[in-house]
Amino acid sequence: MTRSPVSRALAPKAPSKQGSRALVLLALVAVGIYALDQISKFFVVANMAEGEVVRVLGGVLHWHFVRNPGAAFSLASGSTWIFSIIAAAVVVFIVWFARRIRSRTWGLVFGLLLGGVLGNLTDRLLREPSFGEGHVVDFISTPWMIPAIYNVADMAIVISMVIFMILTIRGIGLDGQRVVETPKSTAPQSDASQADASQPHEAKPETGNTP
């Protein structure tokens, strides 16, 4: 019985050298993104007042310190605890799913996603006003490109989604190979039908009265 691509992807895989490299890359990227996100938020909170705006590159890049109770890019404010639960579930899924990855590109995707989700989840769990409902620190503003204020974790999540869509559109599997659908083969004719087709057909005499 053949299994679907989804069931094959979810099936346990034996450890391999390629899979180990992808897993190491995933972990390094996740740790790097998480550290960069938390360090940048620490410096913003320590050196800026909430609501303060600092022009870094004129109208191209601003530091604008705000506390966001919603999702990425200040979406759905007021539902912080829901996003905390979703983020925790995503972290658990990535950790469980990581051993199935054999491609370093896919390792990069899930590393960016894991680091970004962990960065914002830490804010929701540990920052004010309460556990699970903490406000995420946002400070990056690019008004010429997008009317929202975001952070390093948000950027990592968006980049991971872009790469994910590119790989999916191109049909790149978790092993790094392009998935190619094999055309359906036509059923071979039986020996009897082939023999019958090769023999000339004799004309059958017409029935009825002859003049």
Side-chain angles (χ1 to χ4, degrees), residues 188-199:
Q189 294 180 335
S190 62
D191 295 339
S193 61
Q194 290 179 358
D196 181 68
S198 62
Q199 295 296 329

Side-chain angles (χ1 to χ4, degrees), residues 96-206:
W96 170 78
F97 189 75
R99 60 193 180 125
R100 292 162 172 78
I101 300 172
R102 295 293 179 270
S103 165
R104 282 177 287 184
T105 306
W106 279 108
L108 173 63
V109 170
F110 285 98
L112 288 168
L113 181 60
L114 180 59
V117 171
L118 280 174
N120 285 339
L121 179 60
T122 299
D123 286 12
R124 294 190 177 101
L125 295 180
L126 302 181
R127 295 188 185 274
E128 297 178 350
S130 62
F131 180 83
E133 296 186 354
H135 293 179
V136 176
V137 172
D138 289 337
F139 62 93
I140 303 174
S141 175
T142 49
W144 60 275
M145 181 175 64
I146 182 172
I149 304 171
Y150 48 99
N151 55 43
V152 174
D154 295 334
M155 294 172 59
I157 293 171
V158 171
I159 293 173
S160 71
M161 292 296 99
V162 171
I163 302 176
F164 175 87
M165 289 188 294
I166 293 174
L167 294 177
T168 302
I169 292 173
R170 295 187 59 194
I172 305 299
L174 293 175
D175 58 356
Q177 302 296 321
R178 186 187 294 268
V179 178
V180 180
E181 294 185 1
T182 56
K184 295 181 179 179
S185 58
T186 57
Q189 294 180 335
S190 62
D191 295 339
S193 61
Q194 290 179 358
D196 181 68
S198 62
Q199 295 296 329
H201 294 280
E202 297 181 358
K204 295 181 180 180
E206 296 182 358

